[in-house]
Amino acid sequence: MKKILIALATAGLSLSGALVAAPATAGTRQAPDHTPPAPQWAQCAGMAEGIECAAISVPLDYDRPWGRKIKIAVSRKKATDTAHYQGAILFNPGGPGGSGLSYPAVMQNRLGAPLAAQYDLIGFDPRGVGSSEPALRCDTHFFDPVRPDYVPANWAEEAAWVKKMQAYSKACDTAYGDLLKNMTTVDAAKDMDQIRKALGQRQISYVGYSYGTYLGATYATLFPDNVRRLVLDSIINPERVWYGTNLDQNQAFEARAKAFFAWIAQYDANYHLGTAAADVEKAFYAARAKLKAAPAEGRVGPSEFDDTYLAGGYLKSRWPLLANALSRFVTAGETAPIAQAYATYGDSSGDDNAFAVYSAVECTDARWPRDWSTWQRDWWESYRTAPFLSWGNAWFNAQCQSWPVRGHDLRVNGKWIKNALFFQDTKDAATPYQGGVEMHKRFPASRLVVMDGGGNHGLTGRGNACIDTIWKAYLTDGTLPASLPGPDVHCAPFADPVPPAASLRSTPTADDDWVPGER
């Protein structure tokens, strides 16, 4: 998977008073129907045999469906169990900005061959992403190291970051001014319905992770009659799209960072950074200060260091690699492990496609504060209690303060959906727990399955028997757990990792799906 610095489907203003979108049913006035031609499938270059790719033409602007067209890249692993055929199932890994073309292969493994064979497994690159045309790129050198420290030491450094983000906003406007107003999640959901039509399906099933949960919920709001089965895993809070959830994330990631420090302290015999979490935390920030003075391998300064260690807030299976790199840097002055960890988890240099799409979607999806004094007040307040992420998260989103297209809101409403299955970890930092609770309320027929205290982002298909049994049963025949007050099912978390005997691994573990959308 691409290793990308990206701020995870983050946050926004409250949607109180926002327009409730009506479902696309017979009683709703709609633009003239546009059905794309059947896809011309061919073997996907660089993918396993049997994974086919095609391009589907869709309107740039759905208010002008016969105007300019763009192309959505789609991939497919065709069903082989025709006796138990269940139609097409679409996947989105997150973002916004995440490529889904590899997901037929990914999900074939997660679902298992017998269940996967019953579906046409469909991946796609949402508009602007990867192999779709046009693919957005505003400044390909934006993430080149070494970047200024995220944490401004004074007003001059803060102002320099504001200027940098305003320049990025301007670069996107210069390159794609005619596209930006049509880069919303609503547009992407309408593209999904064009994919449905092109596939010749009356309904589609859907599995979405992280930002993909908001995309799936938006599709279900607009096209409830076209949804067969709906799985949302690690859920965006639809009440906080997008500014507010960033602030929520800061606190959640702070908690995960402290859990990481405590875990390292538990294995002081391995890492020699202290037997108390406070000792490890002190060593972590001392290492950060040292990298500001002398970046590791000329590439990893304090901001790159922050990007790298943020990865541990998503999946605790990453902790041994990150802890080992920190230990070797602090105790022996070795810079290579830190640089290697950055290459694995933090390096986004040379291509800003995911960030350009992230910006274009989130900045236009919802309203953002336009007065920098509002940001300054909120983010310094956040930093006082959550220094681990706050300013890095601010600068990942500050382009929205000057974005050339003003945002507008959609109120997610799932009351027309007859069944849905949601998964949420109580200590998920990227999509904090309240998101699952709020989405569950908005989909009255849904079931919410909770992992208690795992601290992981993305639960299905990772080998937890409690989670996967429920997930696969639903996708097999629509079986849902019984409805109970609050969460419907509680599952035990994945065990914490144990430090390996070997030194720093050069690659992530097999369950380590580092995708755009995970900052």
Side-chain angles (χ1 to χ4, degrees), residues 135 144 194 220 259 277 309 318 320 322 331 344 350 362 419 434 456 485:
D144 288 358
Q194 295 300 300
Y309 279 83
R318 298 166 176 165
L322 294 169
T331 63
T344 300
E362 293 208 0
N419 65 83
Q434 189 58 35
N456 285 327

Side-chain angles (χ1 to χ4, degrees), residues 35-39 41 56-57 192-201:
T35 300
W41 298 103
I56 293 177
S57 176
M192 283 175 52
D193 209 53
Q194 295 300 300
I195 295 173
R196 177 191 64 80
K197 293 177 183 179
L199 296 174
Q201 301 280 333

Side-chain angles (χ1 to χ4, degrees), residues 231-296:
V231 177
L232 306 183
D233 184 338
S234 303
I235 299 168
I236 296 297
N237 188 339
E239 190 67 31
R240 303 279 285 169
V241 173
W242 288 112
Y243 183 75
T245 299
N246 278 302
L247 295 169
D248 298 342
Q249 285 175 352
N250 295 342
Q251 301 299 326
F253 271 104
E254 187 69 22
R256 295 313 297 153
K258 291 186 181 303
F260 173 55
F261 299 147
W263 178 84
I264 293 176
Q266 183 181 347
Y267 292 101
D268 182 60
N270 298 78
Y271 300 120
H272 312 292
L273 294 174
T275 57
D279 296 331
V280 178
E281 185 170 5
K282 183 178 179 181
F284 176 86
Y285 285 106
R288 188 184 190 281
K290 186 175 180 180
L291 290 168
K292 184 171 183 177

Side-chain angles (χ1 to χ4, degrees), residues 221-512:
T221 299
L222 298 174
F223 304 103
D225 293 343
N226 300 342
V227 176
R228 182 171 181 264
R229 290 179 187 149
L230 178 68
V231 177
L232 306 183
D233 184 338
S234 303
I235 299 168
I236 296 297
N237 188 339
E239 190 67 31
R240 303 279 285 169
V241 173
W242 288 112
Y243 183 75
T245 299
N246 278 302
L247 295 169
D248 298 342
Q249 285 175 352
N250 295 342
Q251 301 299 326
F253 271 104
E254 187 69 22
R256 295 313 297 153
K258 291 186 181 303
F260 173 55
F261 299 147
W263 178 84
I264 293 176
Q266 183 181 347
Y267 292 101
D268 182 60
N270 298 78
Y271 300 120
H272 312 292
L273 294 174
T275 57
D279 296 331
V280 178
E281 185 170 5
K282 183 178 179 181
F284 176 86
Y285 285 106
R288 188 184 190 281
K290 186 175 180 180
L291 290 168
K292 184 171 183 177
E297 308 289 299
R299 291 184 64 79
V300 185
S303 295
E304 291 75 22
F305 182 73
D306 289 352
D307 298 342
T308 301
Y309 279 83
L310 188 60
Y314 285 88
L315 293 172
K316 57 191 178 184
S317 60
R318 298 166 176 165
W319 287 0
L321 184 153
L322 294 169
N324 187 66
L326 179 64
S327 173
R328 289 168 65 175
F329 180 68
V330 171
T331 63
E334 296 181 39
T335 57
I338 287 285
Q340 190 174 353
Y342 168 65
T344 300
Y345 291 128
D347 190 357
S348 301
S349 58
D351 188 0
D352 70 322
N353 174 242
F355 183 61
V357 175
Y358 171 88
S359 303
V361 173
E362 293 208 0
C363 296
T364 314
D365 251 1
R367 300 183 183 102
W368 293 76
R370 306 294 286 191
D371 187 342
W372 181 252
S373 65
T374 301
W375 293 69
Q376 187 180 53
R377 178 198 67 212
D378 291 344
W379 294 93
W380 277 117
E381 181 179 352
S382 177
Y383 179 76
R384 282 193 286 271
T385 55
F388 179 74
L389 175 61
S390 289
W391 275 110
N393 209 6
W395 302 128
F396 207 85
N397 292 277
Q399 70 280 11
C400 295
Q401 180 259 340
S402 59
W403 198 250
V405 180
R406 294 298 182 105
H408 48 82
D409 298 331
L410 167 85
R411 188 166 183 84
V412 166
N413 190 334
K415 70 178 182 180
W416 293 281
I417 297 299
K418 297 177 182 178
N419 65 83
L421 182 60
F422 299 164
F423 294 91
Q424 187 69 40
D425 192 307
T426 60
K427 292 185 178 180
D428 185 347
T431 53
Y433 176 67
Q434 189 58 35
V437 174
E438 179 64 27
M439 195 72 83
H440 184 39
K441 290 179 182 176
R442 296 197 185 192
F443 284 73
S446 68
R447 302 292 188 272
L448 177 60
V449 179
V450 166
M451 179 176 280
D452 290 305
N456 285 327
H457 185 61
L459 303 179
T460 56
R462 295 189 183 276
N464 181 285
C466 177
I467 295 289
D468 287 349
T469 298
I470 296 168
W471 180 50
K472 292 179 181 180
Y474 175 63
L475 292 178
T476 297
D477 58 18
T479 298
L480 286 170
S483 180
L484 299 174
D488 301 291
V489 180
H490 292 266
C491 290
F494 295 106
D496 285 348
V498 175
S503 61
L504 179 68
R505 295 170 296 169
S506 60
T507 57
T509 56
D511 69 343
D512 196 354

